[in-house]
Amino acid sequence: MTRPLIEARDISKRFGALQALADVDLDIREGEVLALVGDNGAGKSTLVKILSGAHAPSGGDLVMDGKPVEFASPQDSAAAGIATIFQELALSENLSIAENVFLGRELTQRVLGIPFLRHKAMKRRVGELLKELDAHISDPEVPVGSLSGGQRQAVAISRALNLNARLVIMDEPTAALAVAETRKVLQLIRNLADSGRAVILVSHNMHDVFEVGDRIAVFRRGRKIADKMRTETTPEEIVSFITGAHPDVRALEMQS
Amino acid sequence: MSNPLDWFGRREALLAVACLAAVLLFSFLSPYFFNAENLSAVLSNSVELLLVGLGMTLLLGVGGIDVSVGVAMGLAAIAVGRLLQAGVTPAVAGLAGPVAGLLIGVGTGSVVVFGRIPAIVATLGLYGVYRAGIYLCLGGDWLSGLPIGLTELVGTGIAGVPLAFPIVALTYLALYVALRRTPFGPHLLAIGDSEAKARLSGVSVNRTQLLAFIISGGLTGLAASFYVATYRNVEMTIGGTLALEAIAAVVLGGTSVIGGRVSLIGTVLGVLLLRLLQNGLLLSGVPSLWQTVVTGLLLLFVLGIEAVQGRLSLTMLMRSKSGRLASRVAQ
């Protein structure tokens, strides 16, 4: 088995008296979709925020490519190749797809010190990205405000790819989508992993998790209580882990 | 720019028709309206408002506003006037306007951006400060009967074309290029749509907002030079209605009053319509007092229409722009 892209070792996070994460170990591999599941407040979001540089862990280490890393800010995390796509997409509706994909990192060419936009180069690059994702969006100049929810996810993913992300974290990407759109986004996630990126999918939806996840990690009360290959488990078992009905969880929680 | 009509959309076409309709109407109402002399007077009366309005377009586009542009122009005009009085070459005195304006723009922008004060509140406060500055500088007297040098320089212009034409045209072109051909454009619009999202995308929000205030300041100072050249005096109440007129013209032109959508050509047409109406009403015998009423009503009318169309609502203003605006960008 290849070395993990990112290893979380003994990661903990306290908010005052609240133990949001306790001693979490987690590996993330390239080419793999890792689904994070668990009830609200189980610690998934806290872990995602630590990976994306929004929170610093209270304890433990992050190791990337075998070397310890520290993310002081979302910029640090992005520079390391981690792109986080939040549920509330950070897209500007009044800008075009291409402008959104390149926002804040436009390709420019300086003439007399003035940075002129390289419209054609950016349009071409966005066209390639959309094609790579098989997103069925033909014109990168269309404003994002006119796109459907699924297409917007595709734009957000294109933006992540354009930043050369090696790990793409998606927080509930299908929560607000219709059935057909959901299928499309799950396909996008699969394409991302097949192209060699690591993907973390945070989701409440067992169907999505089992359709696209390679591995499923269950969180409960700040701990990782299960980490299973999809082929070795069932939706029923995962749900019993989440709710605490599973015998292993009961045993664990009796001890403490 | 997939759509070639993008820069000249429905709003712009409507305004152009409104301008033509105003010309037709007033030609019937007054025998003094439709002649070369009066129409060129309308144009030359539009110069200051055009320059200030183009600056205001950027400010509204980025989600800001500046209600102190009138008094800022007053301060810059005093600088130009005093230099003329001191016998400085007209060209140098003329340049002092934009220089003073840039400095005021840096000041106003810094208060808004680094003070983290909402632009409407900050510039309302600065309005009071700048107005007091005008009183202090003028000490109760008008600057009047200023040397004619600058007036001649501006009037003669280049090869007989008044200087205002190339300067307004160059300003328009420069802003068009900045918005369409440099990252300033998408950054400005992204911030106008949602400051938080723009920041998350790595847009340098402070720099872009500050730049918009500095450009607006420079253009306001340029307007001051034209003001002094035209009237050869600086009165106590200078610029009293300029901010209202500029905001009205810009919003009339299709730029969003809460940001995220700009139209430079719309601003030009908005200024023209406003000046045509003011001139036409005056020639038709309506007292000049009613000019500001007409301006104010036009502003309310446009905002009312946009509210009905759902492009703008009070809740949106409160929630600091949820970004559900119509998405067309026109310049």
Side-chain angles (χ1 to χ4, degrees):
Chain A
M1 203 171 240
T2 55
R3 184 173 67 184
L5 173 65
I6 296 178
E7 301 158 67
R9 291 185 192 147
D10 279 335
I11 292 284
S12 301
K13 178 70 184 175
R14 300 190 67 91
F15 295 104
L18 177 78
Q19 183 84 40
L21 273 183
D23 309 324
V24 170
D25 283 303
L26 195 69
D27 294 347
I28 300 141
R29 291 192 167 71
E30 294 184 312
E32 180 184 60
V33 178
L34 169 66
L36 299 188
V37 299
D39 225 332
N40 292 331
K44 316 177 295 273
S45 296
T46 309
L47 181 64
V48 163
K49 283 185 177 143
I50 288 171
L51 288 172
S52 63
H55 287 333
S58 317
D61 300 299
L62 289 178
V63 179
M64 198 164 180
D65 293 322
K67 290 183 280 287
V69 285
E70 267 181 53
F71 301 144
S73 68
Q75 281 76 19
D76 283 0
S77 163
I82 299 176
T84 311
I85 298 170
F86 290 103
Q87 199 172 343
E88 180 132 335
L89 296 172
L91 300 176
S92 300
E93 309 207 0
N94 55 343
L95 298 186
S96 75
I97 295 173
E99 284 169 330
N100 264 288
V101 169
F102 277 97
L103 187 62
R105 303 156 193 275
E106 291 83 0
L107 301 179
T108 57
Q109 188 172 29
R110 285 189 178 271
V111 179
L112 303 171
I114 300 166
F116 284 98
L117 292 168
R118 294 175 56 205
H119 277 299
K120 275 186 192 149
M122 289 193 282
K123 194 179 160 183
R124 196 179 330 120
R125 172 80 179 128
V126 173
E128 285 164 12
L129 288 167
L130 292 173
K131 200 168 176 192
E132 183 190 335
L133 286 171
D134 197 17
H136 295 288
I137 301 172
S138 52
D139 186 3
E141 310 253 296
V142 167
V144 162
S146 68
L147 298 181
S148 70
Q151 289 174 318
R152 286 172 201 222
Q153 290 284 349
V155 175
I157 295 172
S158 300
R159 187 173 157 80
L161 292 185
N162 191 45
L163 305 176
N164 293 316
R166 298 170 67 196
L167 167 64
V168 179
I169 303 174
M170 304 189 69
D171 188 8
E172 298 280 1
T174 62
L177 300 185
V179 178
E181 289 274 298
T182 298
R183 298 210 59 80
K184 195 100 209 84
V185 170
L186 293 179
Q187 189 57 50
L188 289 176
I189 293 173
R190 197 62 256 167
N191 295 351
L192 270 182
D194 291 346
S195 67
R197 277 102 179 178
V199 181
I200 290 182
L201 168 68
V202 178
S203 182
H204 279 101
N205 187 314
M206 277 309 123
H207 176 264
D208 291 1
V209 166
F210 271 81
E211 176 158 338
V212 79
D214 295 307
R215 194 153 57 89
I216 299 158
V218 187
F219 282 73
R220 185 174 159 80
R221 295 177 183 170
R223 292 176 187 279
K224 190 182 83 171
I225 56 165
D227 192 337
K228 304 244 174 196
M229 297 306 289
R230 177 191 54 197
T231 46
E232 295 163 3
T233 184
T234 61
E236 291 72 30
E237 188 186 31
I238 294 296
V239 169
S240 72
F241 275 122
I242 294 172
T243 58
H246 195 281
D248 290 0
V249 183
R250 283 196 178 163
L252 197 77
E253 287 177 358
M254 289 289 241
Q255 285 169 20
S256 49
Chain B
M1 276 203 291
S2 50
N3 178 1
L5 286 177
D6 211 3
W7 67 279
F8 201 88
R10 202 155 36 142
R11 172 69 72 96
E12 288 79 5
L14 208 63
L15 272 175
V17 170
C19 285
L20 287 178
V23 169
L24 274 177
L25 177 72
F26 291 124
S27 300
F28 277 112
L29 288 179
S30 164
Y32 309 109
F33 181 81
F34 195 79
N35 57 68
E37 205 180 332
N38 184 53
L39 291 181
S40 74
V42 170
L43 285 183
S44 72
N45 276 338
S46 305
V47 173
E48 292 106 62
L49 188 55
L50 274 172
L51 292 169
V52 173
L54 288 173
M56 187 70 78
T57 307
L58 300 187
L59 290 178
L60 290 186
V62 80
I65 196 166
D66 187 351
V67 298
S68 72
V69 283
V71 278
M73 185 181 87
L75 283 177
I78 291 171
V80 177
R82 289 270 190 245
L83 286 175
L84 283 177
Q85 279 181 330
V88 173
T89 344
V92 175
L95 279 178
V99 171
L102 283 174
L103 293 175
I104 296 170
V106 171
T108 307
S110 300
V111 169
V112 172
V113 174
F114 300 117
R116 302 193 172 283
I117 306 168
I120 178 93
V121 181
T123 58
L124 202 54
L126 287 172
Y127 173 91
V129 175
Y130 294 163
R131 177 61 80 195
I134 291 179
Y135 285 137
L136 286 176
C137 288
L138 292 181
D141 273 333
W142 286 26
L143 291 187
S144 54
L146 291 169
I148 201 161
L150 187 60
T151 312
E152 287 171 346
L153 178 74
V154 168
T156 316
I158 304 162
V161 179
L163 212 50
F165 279 97
I167 285 187
V168 170
L170 276 178
T171 301
Y172 183 93
L173 197 68
L175 292 182
Y176 180 86
V177 168
L179 286 172
R180 270 292 164 97
R181 302 275 171 213
T182 76
F184 180 66
H187 289 184
L188 181 121
L189 292 171
I191 296 167
D193 181 48
S194 160
E195 206 178 305
K197 286 182 183 176
R199 216 179 280 277
L200 208 59
S201 297
V203 171
S204 42
V205 173
N206 288 359
R207 202 180 64 184
T208 308
Q209 287 176 331
L210 197 58
L211 197 55
F213 273 100
I214 293 173
I215 294 172
S216 169
L219 292 177
T220 303
L222 197 55
S225 293
F226 279 103
Y227 185 93
V228 172
T230 307
Y231 301 103
R232 286 176 55 210
N233 61 44
V234 181
E235 70 277 22
M236 214 58 134
T237 54
I238 182 172
T241 57
L242 188 65
L244 168 67
E245 288 178 330
I247 293 165
V250 172
V251 173
L252 203 59
T255 295
S256 166
V257 75
I258 59 169
R261 182 161 45 96
V262 297
S263 174
L264 291 176
I265 192 77
T267 295
V268 172
L269 291 168
V271 167
L272 278 184
L273 180 62
L274 210 57
R275 285 293 187 247
L276 279 172
L277 288 177
Q278 289 169 345
N279 175 273
L281 288 174
L282 201 65
L283 291 183
S284 309
V286 178
S288 63
L289 173 69
W290 288 90
Q291 290 190 353
T292 47
V293 177
V294 170
T295 312
L297 286 180
L298 262 181
L299 178 61
L300 292 176
F301 175 72
V302 176
L303 291 179
I305 296 275
E306 296 198 349
V308 170
Q309 287 176 342
R311 295 215 278 204
L312 174 71
S313 72
L314 263 184
T315 46
M316 266 174 70
L317 278 172
M318 311 272 214
R319 264 190 237 138
S320 78
K321 297 154 230 163
S322 62
R324 302 252 174 264
L325 274 170
S327 51
R328 194 177 48 74
V329 181
Q331 282 128 34

